[in-house]
Amino acid sequence: MSANNRQFWVFSFAKGAGSKAGEEARWAVDVLIDDLLVDAIRWQIGEVRLPPRPCVGRAERPGRIEDVPWVYRDVYVVSEKVRMIVEEMGPGDCQFIPIDIRFGRKSLGLIYWIMHLNHTLDCADPIRSLNANDTGEDPLYYRSTIMAHRVPPHVSTFRVKYGYKSAIMRDTLRRRLVRAKVTGCMFYPP
């Protein structure tokens, strides 16, 4: 299938990865939350329980702000603009947890969210997907061929069961984010 006809894409905060100049140019945020919450955000199906205190992120610098910053804890942090588009295109697909992004001890006063994927779908083609595990173990798909008929039509953002923690988005949502000139993210085939 050609790139123009793809139905699904990986949504990544890793724009510029693999290039020292590209990585240094990124606005990076360290999410300061405990490991249990990180694991729940990365793997739990359905909404996660919110922590008693607000989540905090520490920006490496106060300027060159992006809609989707580089994040060191393998969770997605997104701007209000991204949250609004994702919710418009797939209501209920994600839980958005508020995060106060600071530089030093001072809040930058920005509206940002940790994006938790509520849906984990068993939609990877086991024959055509790249499985890193041996026979007899649960698969771990580094690259997934998505079986579109296994993705409910109302779902626009999800993770693949046994997939490698990536957010998958429908092409309609990807195109909407690109049209909105969302910064900091990239899309590639699953």
Side-chain angles (χ1 to χ4, degrees):
M1 178 177 282
S2 73
N4 292 336
N5 293 326
R6 286 203 185 279
Q7 293 181 53
F8 303 101
W9 296 85
V10 173
F11 172 72
S12 174
F13 58 75
K15 186 174 184 177
S19 151
K20 186 174 181 185
E23 291 174 11
E24 288 174 356
R26 294 296 313 279
W27 185 54
V29 172
D30 189 11
V31 176
L32 307 175
I33 57 177
D34 70 51
D35 291 339
L36 291 175
L37 183 55
V38 169
D39 284 346
I41 290 167
R42 287 175 53 197
W43 303 111
Q44 184 174 313
I45 299 170
E47 292 196 357
V48 299
R49 219 166 127 219
L50 295 179
R53 294 186 314 256
C55 295
V56 173
R58 183 169 296 126
E60 286 187 348
R61 62 178 173 255
R64 288 197 299 202
I65 294 165
E66 298 175 325
D67 292 305
V68 184
W70 185 285
V71 180
Y72 296 115
R73 295 292 302 272
D74 281 335
V75 297
Y76 295 91
V77 173
V78 300
S79 68
E80 177 69 0
K81 175 167 73 171
V82 173
R83 183 198 65 80
M84 289 173 49
I85 294 168
V86 170
E87 284 194 337
E88 172 193 328
M89 300 293 290
D93 286 352
C94 299
Q95 175 186 8
F96 292 93
I97 304 164
I99 182 168
D100 180 19
I101 299 179
R102 301 174 182 176
F103 181 70
R105 293 184 177 191
K106 184 177 183 208
S107 174
L108 294 177
L110 304 169
I111 300 173
Y112 272 75
W113 306 88
I114 297 171
M115 185 175 85
H116 165 64
L117 309 172
N118 285 334
H119 304 293
T120 299
L121 303 179
D122 188 6
C123 61
D125 182 327
I127 304 299
R128 295 175 40 208
S129 298
L130 177 60
N131 180 6
N133 284 346
D134 294 325
T135 304
E137 297 178 310
D138 283 339
L140 176 60
Y141 299 122
Y142 279 105
R143 300 292 297 232
S144 301
T145 299
I146 308 282
M147 295 185 293
H149 68 279
R150 291 199 176 175
V151 180
H154 67 278
V155 174
S156 290
T157 306
F158 59 94
R159 81 175 62 82
V160 174
K161 184 176 183 180
Y162 305 120
Y164 188 72
K165 69 183 181 258
S166 296
I168 307 295
M169 291 184 167
R170 285 191 182 274
D171 187 56
T172 51
L173 176 53
R174 179 196 66 84
R175 284 186 277 126
R176 179 75 174 81
L177 291 167
V178 169
R179 276 195 315 273
K181 297 184 178 4
V182 167
T183 59
C185 65
M186 66 183 225
F187 301 92
Y188 58 89

